[in-house]
Amino acid sequence: DAGVIQSPRHEVTEMGQEVTLRCKPISGHNSLFWYRQTMMRGLELLIYFNNNVPIDDSGMPEDRFSAKMPNASFSTLKIQPSEPRDSAVYFCASSSLTSGYTFGSGTRLTVV
Amino acid sequence: GESVGLHLPTLSVQEGDNSIINCAYSNSASDYFIWYKQESGKGPQFIIDIRSNMDKRQGQRVTVLLNKTVKHLSLQIAATQPGDSAVYFCAETSNDYKLSFGAGTTVTVRA
């Protein structure tokens, strides 16, 4: 089992550019989560999908952030346009009824 | 607002000693609690969990204690090893999906 796979591991982009983060959950997991981690705010849940359907997006900071899950094996988190305050580590996690959360290794985003 | 927090931000422990990491929570509706370990450059890794119908749960070298009366959670690590050096987070939820994480405790193991 390769675990939750995120790409890229690191992303440096200029302010105003579009950024797309990618996640492949563990096969068989029906829940997927996007988290953001910063020193100031710790780990925050951005959005939660169940069976590919967004259930709770109350943590998405603003309209610049969007997330999709077109199928059970792929999800994206997009920021457009990006701003320096979006700099953080973004984690994807997946779970199932019989298996708890498994986090990916994260994408470290730096917006300059 | 309701929050999950850790009492101490850092813990230094001698190799071989036992470690105790504490966590307070304020949401009385929380019924599921998890401890995570996060090493530098990695995502949080599941250590052990406990549901509110239990007071204690043991794993390999780790024990989680839950005191619902005072809304307190602790993680005990037996015979702490250098590989245990990491940031430890407690997390709680009342709906099995929306985890609220504490601020984290940095554990440093002294050789």
Side-chain angles (χ1 to χ4, degrees), chain B residues 37-107:
Chain B
K37 172 186 179 183
Q38 187 174 22
E39 297 174 280
S40 180
K42 299 183 179 180
Q45 178 185 3
F46 173 92
I47 301 174
I48 191 167
D49 60 359
I50 189 168
R51 292 207 175 265
S52 58
N53 61 351
M54 301 175 68
D55 298 322
K56 179 180 179 179
R57 191 158 188 232
Q58 289 183 293
Q60 188 175 15
R61 283 200 308 117
V62 294
T63 300
V64 55
L65 298 176
L66 175 63
N67 185 330
K68 296 179 287 294
T69 302
V70 295
K71 298 188 186 68
H72 184 268
L73 190 71
S74 68
L75 176 71
Q76 300 176 1
I77 305 174
T80 311
Q81 303 170 358
D84 295 328
S85 293
V87 179
Y88 289 80
F89 295 93
C90 64
E92 54 90 14
T93 181
S94 57
N95 57 22
D96 268 0
Y97 79 83
K98 193 166 187 175
L99 291 179
S100 293
F101 284 84
T105 292
T106 301
V107 173

